[in-house]
Amino acid sequence: MATSDPPLQLTGLASGIDTGAIVDQLMAIERRPRDLLALTESTWKARQSALSDIKSRLSILRGYARDLMSPGLYADVQSISSSDTSKVEAVRVSGAGTGGYQVMVDRLASSQQRTFQFVSSASDTTLVFNSNGTTSSVTIAAGADIQQAVDTINSTAGLPVYAAAVTDPADSSKKLLVLSSKSPGAAGDFTVDASSTAQVRELQSKAKAHAATGFERTLTYASPLTASATLDFGGGDTVTLAAGTDLATAVAQINAQSSTVYAEAFDGKLILTSRATGSPASFAVTSTSPEIVEIAAAARAGSDAVDVSILKAKYEVDGQTYYADSNTVTDGIPGIQLTLKATTATPVTITVGSPAADKDAIKAKIKAFVDQYNSTVDFIRQKLEEKKVSDRKTASDYAQGALFADPGLSDLLGRMRIAISDVIPGDPANPNPGTLDMLSQIGVSTGAAATDKYSADAVAGKLTLDEAKLDEALDSNPLGVRRLLGGVAGVDGFAQRFSGLLDPVVGVDGDLDSRIKAASDQIDDIEDQLAAMDERLNLRQQQLKAQFTALETALAQSQQQQAWLAGQIAGLMR
């Protein structure tokens, strides 16, 4: 027993022995191999975790290397600018002619509109929309006011219109329901059919981009009439309504007899519209009854057919006029998408630059590779330099230094460093233009050559990026940079070589997968051993408890016999 273990204390034969403490100390001795094995498992778990982390970092690094070989990275792009983005915005959608373009915006594309009178109805009303052959509908609840109708329309998905409530210029106490197409130009053409005229009635003369409309007059009507009345529409066209005629009957009678007007009932009023359309189609109405009186302010003049071209955007490019159904156009400047935002008083200049690779995008990819390379090297070196604890006691002690001086990782760092500094010959039959065959020539290096003494980062193999040198190389020899990095199809550059170096390391069933699996297998084996040892230790503990229980029982019996004998001897001596 080690000197650090507490000594056994035997204070009596039957009751002075702490058998529980004895069993615990004996079991502690027998558990030492098990505890040591559990600590060893901590080392394997730390190794497995570190290798998995290294694989993840190297996989990301390989991805950044592969980005450098993407042909799209080196594709020609053109700078596009607008002298006034509040009026016209421009973006490149394909190759465009280099130079400047003068754009004038005379008119923006606008949406079709239809205007309706609205009254609250005692029953639900369904509005049915037809837009370019597509039908949709919305139901306005009974009792809804005009604002509730607007909210219902605007909150219903799939409708082709937006709704708004505007003040009726003929009656400031009322609101009109205005529906505007969601799509500008002819593409937004729509019609509205109401299942009931009790709630909405279109004012055709206020429609935007609609057919010619007739003259309209509105009259009060006391339904039913208490006396007969004659309506004279001019030119000998008259209709006489008998006493007791209600509004609905009057509408039917006028429509059957008059050749001048159509009649309809809305909101308790008699609406008369000329049968002819256009601005000349006016008519007068004279009533012989005070129960039928015209509301002069509600009269609306007829309108001629409106050319739907007024809904189209109108703009000019270098003096050439164009029309479009949308304010986003692509036919004015081939390869350029213009967004017309406001009319212009003076031309907006759109400037298109010469085609060239996007230097900023290339630099961003190189910088991403350099940053990931440095963070990966830092992490691996940290694991390689993390020494084991000399007097290990805890699980954390055993976890430390799990990859100290690991030969496989040390070799990988060496090969990565060689790949960075090595010559990249490219295609022997078509060598790199301008003899660009090393990353240091485009500003990627350890930075050691630029100083008189080696820095700690240089010694560690970390990279620096000289952006000024990279800019110079991209300006003077863009094809050479592309070949060097690996962006030319069929030519192995740096990206192909570096990615190829990492493929067997981080690929499926590669070197790191094998090592991670080996660590996992070792952990599983240890877990099995620990389970078996726990079972044996549990049996051993039960045995010890049984043995000490038997000892206590024997001692108690011996003490009882001793007491009986002592009593017998004492009796004989009397």
Side-chain angles (χ1 to χ4, degrees), residues 5 46 72 145 181 283 322 379 462 523:
D5 293 330
D145 60 24
S181 173
F283 67 93
Y322 297 88
F379 185 80
K462 295 174 66 174
I523 292 169

Side-chain angles (χ1 to χ4, degrees), residues 133-157:
T134 300
T135 301
S136 55
S137 64
V138 61
T139 297
I140 300 173
D145 60 24
I146 189 169
Q147 188 56 54
Q148 290 171 326
V150 166
D151 294 340
T152 299
I153 293 170
N154 289 338
S155 62
T156 301

Side-chain angles (χ1 to χ4, degrees), residues 42-376:
S42 301
T43 301
W44 285 103
K45 286 183 175 180
R47 182 174 301 175
Q48 180 191 45
S49 175
L51 289 172
S52 296
D53 200 343
I54 290 171
K55 180 189 175 182
S56 175
R57 292 168 184 266
L58 288 172
S59 295
I60 295 172
L61 180 61
R62 182 179 62 167
Y64 284 137
R66 289 177 173 176
D67 287 345
L68 297 176
M69 68 175 78
S70 171
L73 179 62
Y74 307 93
D76 284 344
V77 295
Q78 292 174 280
S79 61
I80 308 293
S81 64
S82 169
S83 62
D84 189 347
T85 55
S86 67
K87 300 288 194 303
V88 182
E89 287 185 346
V91 295
R92 179 181 184 267
V93 293
S94 62
T98 303
Y101 301 84
Q102 302 299 307
V103 178
M104 288 286 293
V105 182
D106 299 322
R107 181 177 64 232
L108 295 177
S110 57
S111 298
Q112 247 193 70
Q113 289 182 347
R114 293 181 180 273
T115 302
F116 299 83
Q117 291 176 316
F118 180 93
V119 294
S120 182
S121 173
S123 59
D124 291 350
T125 295
T126 299
L127 301 181
V128 179
F129 301 91
N130 187 292
S131 178
N132 293 316
T134 300
T135 301
S136 55
S137 64
V138 61
T139 297
I140 300 173
D145 60 24
I146 189 169
Q147 188 56 54
Q148 290 171 326
V150 166
D151 294 340
T152 299
I153 293 170
N154 289 338
S155 62
T156 301
L159 299 184
V161 298
Y162 297 111
V166 300
T167 301
D168 186 347
D171 186 351
S172 60
S173 66
K174 293 186 177 181
K175 296 281 189 179
L176 297 175
L177 175 66
V178 178
L179 302 178
S180 301
S181 173
K182 292 181 178 179
S183 302
D189 184 40
F190 70 96
T191 58
V192 182
D193 295 323
S195 61
S196 169
T197 58
Q199 194 164 12
V200 295
R201 174 179 177 274
E202 183 175 4
L203 299 175
Q204 293 187 356
S205 62
K206 296 182 69 64
K208 185 176 181 181
H210 190 53
T213 62
F215 199 89
E216 180 181 288
R217 292 186 181 277
T218 301
L219 299 89
T220 62
Y221 191 97
S223 181
L225 296 175
T226 59
S228 65
T230 298
L231 300 179
D232 187 345
F233 308 120
D237 187 5
T238 63
V239 174
T240 298
L241 303 174
T245 302
D246 60 18
L247 180 57
T249 303
V251 167
Q253 185 176 339
I254 293 170
N255 287 339
Q257 296 179 8
S258 175
S259 61
T260 303
V261 300
Y262 290 109
E264 63 178 311
F266 180 79
D267 194 19
K269 298 179 180 62
L270 176 62
I271 312 296
L272 302 175
T273 306
S274 63
R275 290 180 179 267
T277 59
S279 55
S282 61
F283 67 93
V285 58
T286 303
S287 170
T288 62
S289 170
E291 294 181 303
I292 305 176
V293 179
E294 181 180 0
I295 304 172
R300 301 185 189 277
S303 64
D304 297 318
V306 179
D307 185 0
V308 295
S309 66
I310 67 169
L311 297 179
K312 295 178 178 287
K314 180 183 179 183
Y315 66 103
E316 299 175 11
V317 178
D318 293 339
Q320 177 69 43
T321 301
Y322 297 88
Y323 296 90
D325 287 330
S326 170
N327 291 316
T328 300
V329 298
T330 56
D331 54 351
I333 305 176
I336 303 297
Q337 175 180 285
L338 300 177
T339 300
L340 312 180
K341 303 174 72 175
T343 58
T344 59
T346 57
V348 175
T349 301
I350 305 299
T351 304
V352 181
S354 300
D358 187 343
K359 291 199 309 179
D360 289 338
I362 296 173
K363 288 168 60 178
K365 292 296 185 182
I366 294 175
K367 187 175 187 304
F369 173 83
V370 169
D371 290 344
Q372 181 64 27
Y373 181 94
N374 288 341
S375 67
T376 302

